[in-house]
Amino acid sequence: MTFPVSDHYDGTHFFNPEGARRKVRRFSVLRWATRREGRAKWPDRVENTAYPPPAGDVAEGTLALTFIGHSSFLLRLAGLTLLTDPVFSERCSPVSFAGPKRVRPPGQPLAALPKPDAILLSHNHYDHCDIPGLRALRARFGPIPVFAPLGNRAFLEGKGLGPVTELDWWQAAAFRDTRITLTPARHFAARSLRDRNLTLWGGFVVDHRGAKLYVAGDTGYTGYFRAIRERLGAPDFGLLPIGAYEPRWFMGNVHMNPADAVRAFDELGLRQAVGKHFGTFQLTDEAIDAPLHDLAAARIAAGIEPARFTTLDFGETRVFDLRRGNYPPPLATDVDL
């Protein structure tokens, strides 16, 4: 399948227009992948605190946000429920017997969730595009509309999922009384050794009844954050990745560290943000709690109040006021140095 040639598609493959921040040699990657020198040891299993399932009406102008794990969140707004990159499988891998395994179970089981009106799928990596989990959602709730970057519709609908709306960067779709725009990101796509960058990746801006939410996909730090603010306006709220960032010589091209995320917070003009993409699967070298400590240090360095850029505990639901900028106080689960 081909798409119109653009500044990020050459007729056969998608690419990052900004280029690589640092050239990475295949030998270095192979050595890192096989030796894992300097890799922190994660616990084999961490049990979650029990939280009530997400329920109840959501007031106009507020967001009830539930952290399921990694990049999976349930977003409930007045009249709209969205699920982002839902992953419920035990491993994020093409096989069930090998590959990165969960350290924490999903913070809320699929059975505890209300029916999503739509799913936002940022790209096709296994830790974001979980086909067994998506099929389980369909089995429970019936067909759920999926919004995804270019190239993903045929694959997803071939798995019996969808209906799927494909979007290019900066392209928007109307969904009920909501506008969903796919935004650029610095990342890549692949599910095998033979399909690298045949599909697109990205994040989303959700404009719902005057409230604007930014849901980042996986991304390295990018100049597109400023472009998103300039073209679509400063979001009221954002979900920003803060984990899977070491070693920087390799991960810096495609994953932000907390200092990068704080810089993105500023350049997007966010009033409030929650961190994601941490503490679930060990994909890289940093310790399981490093993203929380590094985010706290980056907030201090930038002079950002903890409540403005925080994290949720696994399974926790927290309500954010999108209208008045009333930031909820940090909880005991927040790390503040």
Side-chain angles (χ1 to χ4, degrees):
M1 183 177 295
T2 60
F3 304 95
V5 172
S6 68
D7 69 344
H8 55 280
Y9 183 70
D10 63 11
T12 58
H13 293 81
F14 294 95
F15 60 92
N16 290 301
E18 295 174 326
R21 298 171 72 182
R22 179 173 177 174
K23 189 173 182 179
V24 177
R25 296 180 178 179
R26 291 184 181 180
F27 173 78
S28 298
V29 175
L30 180 62
R31 177 175 176 173
W32 171 78
T34 55
R35 296 189 181 183
R36 290 300 179 112
E37 297 168 346
R39 189 185 199 205
K41 180 172 174 54
W42 282 32
D44 292 332
R45 198 71 170 175
V46 177
E47 295 304 321
N48 295 326
T49 300
Y51 286 96
D57 295 333
V58 180
E60 195 74 43
T62 63
L63 165 68
L65 183 69
T66 303
F67 185 34
I68 298 168
H70 200 55
S71 290
S72 305
F73 284 83
L74 185 75
L75 294 82
R76 290 184 297 136
L77 299 140
L80 181 69
T81 298
L82 300 174
L83 193 57
T84 69
D85 289 349
V87 176
F88 291 93
S89 293
E90 188 66 13
R91 295 184 187 270
C92 55
S93 169
V95 295
S96 61
F97 55 86
K101 187 176 181 180
R102 280 186 177 275
V103 171
R104 285 187 174 92
Q108 292 288 347
L110 191 152
L113 302 182
K115 181 178 180 179
D117 296 307
I119 293 170
L120 303 182
L121 191 68
S122 65
H123 63 299
N124 70 358
H125 285 161
Y126 287 92
D127 59 322
H128 295 261
C129 181
D130 172 27
I131 297 301
L134 290 167
R135 283 176 164 167
L137 283 162
R138 184 182 178 95
R140 176 172 173 77
F141 296 115
I144 304 171
V146 177
F147 293 85
L150 287 181
N152 288 286
R153 178 166 53 202
F155 170 71
L156 292 169
E157 292 185 349
K159 298 292 185 180
L161 303 168
V164 178
T165 298
E166 280 186 334
L167 297 171
D168 199 358
W169 288 353
W170 304 118
Q171 188 176 7
F175 182 70
R176 300 183 180 179
D177 54 356
T178 303
R179 184 177 177 85
I180 299 172
T181 304
L182 186 74
T183 55
R186 176 196 283 272
H187 202 56
F188 69 105
R191 289 182 74 82
S192 72
L193 296 176
R194 297 182 177 181
D195 67 347
R196 185 178 177 91
N197 293 351
L198 295 181
T199 62
L200 187 57
W201 52 91
F204 296 91
V205 167
V206 178
D207 198 331
H208 177 71
R209 299 181 185 178
K212 201 183 307 291
L213 285 69
Y214 173 62
V215 181
D218 277 6
T219 182
Y221 171 77
T222 170
Y224 281 119
F225 295 129
R226 289 184 181 273
I228 291 168
R229 179 178 183 176
E230 291 167 358
R231 292 183 62 156
L232 303 177
D236 302 292
F237 184 90
L239 290 172
L240 296 175
I242 62 169
Y245 52 85
E246 292 291 350
R248 296 309 289 155
W249 61 264
F250 182 27
M251 290 297 156
N253 282 327
V254 293
H255 286 166
M256 293 194 293
N257 62 15
D260 290 333
V262 165
R263 185 178 177 189
F265 175 96
D266 178 65
E267 294 183 359
L268 286 160
L270 291 168
R271 294 196 291 117
Q272 304 172 88
V274 164
K276 66 173 190 171
H277 202 259
F278 68 93
T280 310
F281 301 99
Q282 185 170 17
L283 305 174
T284 51
D285 288 353
E286 73 274 6
I288 190 171
D289 58 350
L292 302 182
H293 289 284
D294 288 351
L295 176 60
R299 278 195 314 247
I300 291 171
I304 296 173
E305 298 172 12
R308 291 191 62 204
F309 191 170
T310 186
T311 56
L312 272 60
D313 197 9
F314 287 71
E316 178 191 358
T317 298
R318 204 180 303 184
V319 177
F320 295 85
D321 190 331
L322 303 177
R323 297 168 298 181
R324 296 182 294 273
N326 293 331
Y327 312 119
L331 301 184
T333 54
D334 294 333
V335 175
D336 191 12
L337 299 180

